[in-house]
Amino acid sequence: MKYLISGGGTGGHIFPAVSIANALREIDPSCEILFVGALGRMEMERVPQAGYPIVGLPVKGFDRSHPWKNVRVVIDLLRSMCQARKIVRDFRPDVGIGVGGYASGAAMKVAAKMGVPILLQEQNGFAGVTNKLLKDDAKKICVAYEGMERFFPKEKIILTGNPVRQNLTAGTKEEALKYFNKEFGVNFTADKKTLLIIGGSLGARTINQSIIAHLNELIESGIQVIWQTGKNYYSDCKAALGILLHETVICTDFVSQMPLAYALADLVISRAGASSISELCLLGKPAILVPSPNVAEDHQTHNAMALVNKNAAVLVKDSDAQNNLIATALQLIKDDQELLNLHTNILTLALPDSARIIAAEVIKLAQK
């Protein structure tokens, strides 16, 4: 069997795509998989690192603020569709899998017109533009949230959850303490609560600014902090910490051992991207979500509210974060009963084995 997987632009699209590919390969080691991405986007680097070939299209997103600049975008879209046609003709996939993003729109539209059955995977609680445009071409649409009939035909929807990074549950609290103490020269102990702050690989400006504004309170609270700043903000955050360097605060641009960070965390502060939320659900981690205001159609708020409405997470608006985020975190992390409530409720929303379930649906389409 041959599978064409397309999408990317962000880790939120790439992680699920690679997880689906890994699941397909586990079920059928002899299958062939080809990715189609957008030139210059992060999938062109991350997918080969995961061991899969990828072809790049010159497709770009529309500039909604400057419509006159979209002439070039339309030209690149037409070029991309011509290239996608050649890719489909040469590779001859049995199924096309679209995970969202610019490249997915061009590749999946062309594949469907050439008779290839299409499966879409929608990560968010508010459907992305690309998947909404492809809904009539798709045979099946795998979603992570209930109520997606607002966007897609009900008969095509399968509630599967979002595939997450492998081995997230690997590692114990004891192993985590040993790793972080040795790697970062801190003195973390098992009897203290740990706050994990993550804002994505590039970082989250508002979250970082909120931490900087309340560093003294964090240090004086007596809790342990793992602060992933993202590479764009690391130098500023490190400088702000400066002489406040403390044996209970880790400041780093990237946490390479996320399973160990999660194992140690009693509370997580995070953006509300679909992949992050799926990981938190799977691990049952109490969380304060700060939805990014810089995403299409405010879909991170929709993602967060799906948890908040079930008392499975706490939401702090981006505009309120600098004043309220750290105070909310310090109050919550000392409230054992509320932490337990959030842990219990978020676990009920977990959908494990998502990648394998989606892969099984893909194989069904191929066999038809």
Side-chain angles (χ1 to χ4, degrees):
M1 293 293 180
K2 294 183 177 182
Y3 304 111
L4 189 72
I5 303 179
S6 186
T10 67
H13 292 313
I14 298 166
F15 287 140
V18 170
S19 295
I20 293 167
N22 290 343
L24 285 167
R25 192 175 266 179
E26 283 178 19
I27 296 170
D28 178 13
S30 65
C31 72
E32 292 184 48
I33 297 172
L34 177 64
F35 279 76
V36 178
L39 289 172
R41 302 305 294 259
M42 65 189 296
E43 60 265 24
M44 301 306 296
E45 181 181 344
R46 295 291 176 85
V47 169
Q49 286 174 353
Y52 296 99
I54 186 169
V55 181
L57 302 178
V59 65
K60 297 180 182 68
F62 282 91
D63 190 332
R64 300 179 188 184
S65 304
H66 309 96
W68 62 89
K69 293 184 179 180
N70 288 322
V71 173
R72 183 73 225 178
V73 175
V74 172
I75 293 171
D76 286 339
L77 175 61
L78 295 174
R79 286 176 58 213
S80 296
M81 294 188 82
C82 288
Q83 290 182 29
R85 192 171 290 111
K86 184 178 187 305
I87 292 167
V88 173
R89 189 171 61 243
D90 292 347
F91 186 62
R92 299 177 66 191
D94 293 284
V95 179
I97 304 157
V99 298
Y102 312 136
S104 179
M108 293 299 107
K109 192 72 174 178
V110 167
K113 285 191 173 184
M114 295 176 72
V116 178
I118 300 301
L119 178 142
L120 302 179
Q121 198 262 326
E122 175 57 57
Q123 298 94 31
N124 294 294
F126 195 94
V129 173
T130 299
N131 282 345
K132 284 191 285 189
L133 290 172
L134 291 169
K135 65 182 180 183
D136 293 331
D137 299 297
K139 300 290 185 184
K140 296 290 181 183
I141 304 172
C142 297
V143 301
Y145 293 91
E146 296 173 349
M148 297 302 284
E149 298 84 3
R150 294 176 294 160
F151 309 105
F152 305 124
K154 186 175 181 178
E155 67 277 8
K156 295 183 179 183
I157 293 174
I158 306 169
L159 183 63
T160 60
N162 280 324
V164 298
R165 288 175 282 187
Q166 274 79 18
N167 302 320
L168 271 183
T169 56
T172 64
K173 202 163 188 174
E174 291 72 25
E175 290 169 334
L177 287 168
K178 185 177 179 182
Y179 168 78
F180 285 109
N181 285 341
K182 181 179 179 182
E183 187 73 14
F184 294 95
V186 290
N187 184 29
F188 280 18
T189 58
D191 61 325
K192 291 182 179 177
K193 298 276 184 67
T194 302
L195 174 65
L196 171 63
I197 304 161
I198 48 178
S201 56
L202 298 179
R205 178 184 295 153
T206 305
I207 293 178
N208 285 323
Q209 288 175 339
S210 303
I211 305 307
I212 289 171
H214 298 276
L215 271 172
N216 281 321
E217 292 145 78
L218 272 176
I219 291 171
E220 290 168 5
S221 69
I223 66 169
Q224 298 164 161
V225 180
I226 302 173
W227 178 16
Q228 179 185 291
T229 66
K231 66 178 183 180
N232 288 353
Y233 303 101
Y234 177 65
S235 57
D236 289 343
C237 295
K238 192 73 172 175
L241 201 56
I243 58 171
L244 296 174
L245 283 171
H246 199 269
E247 61 182 6
T248 56
V249 178
I250 291 170
C251 178
T252 180
D253 62 333
F254 181 71
V255 178
S256 59
Q257 293 293 331
M258 277 307 294
L260 294 179
Y262 276 132
L264 200 54
D266 296 285
L267 176 65
V268 180
I269 292 175
S270 174
R271 285 299 199 194
S275 293
S276 298
I277 285 183
S278 295
E279 292 178 358
L280 293 168
C281 290
L282 186 67
L283 297 168
K285 287 296 171 181
I288 299 174
L289 303 174
V290 187
S292 171
N294 307 312
V295 295
E297 297 170 307
D298 198 24
H299 68 244
Q300 287 204 3
T301 297
H302 292 274
N303 293 347
M305 289 308 299
L307 274 65
V308 173
N309 289 337
K310 297 186 177 181
N311 193 29
V314 173
L315 183 143
V316 172
K317 291 182 180 178
D318 190 85
S319 57
D320 297 335
Q322 191 142 342
N323 291 328
N324 299 337
L325 179 59
I326 298 308
T328 302
L330 292 178
Q331 181 179 350
L332 178 56
I333 202 167
K334 294 172 182 175
D335 188 338
D336 290 337
Q337 186 56 54
E338 187 57 22
L339 288 177
L340 179 59
N341 292 341
L342 291 172
H343 163 73
T344 304
N345 293 338
I346 199 170
L347 266 181
T348 66
L349 303 178
L351 292 166
D353 299 322
S354 296
R356 199 168 181 85
I357 294 167
I358 295 168
E361 292 297 329
V362 170
I363 290 168
K364 283 182 195 174
L365 283 181
Q367 290 171 340
K368 286 182 180 178

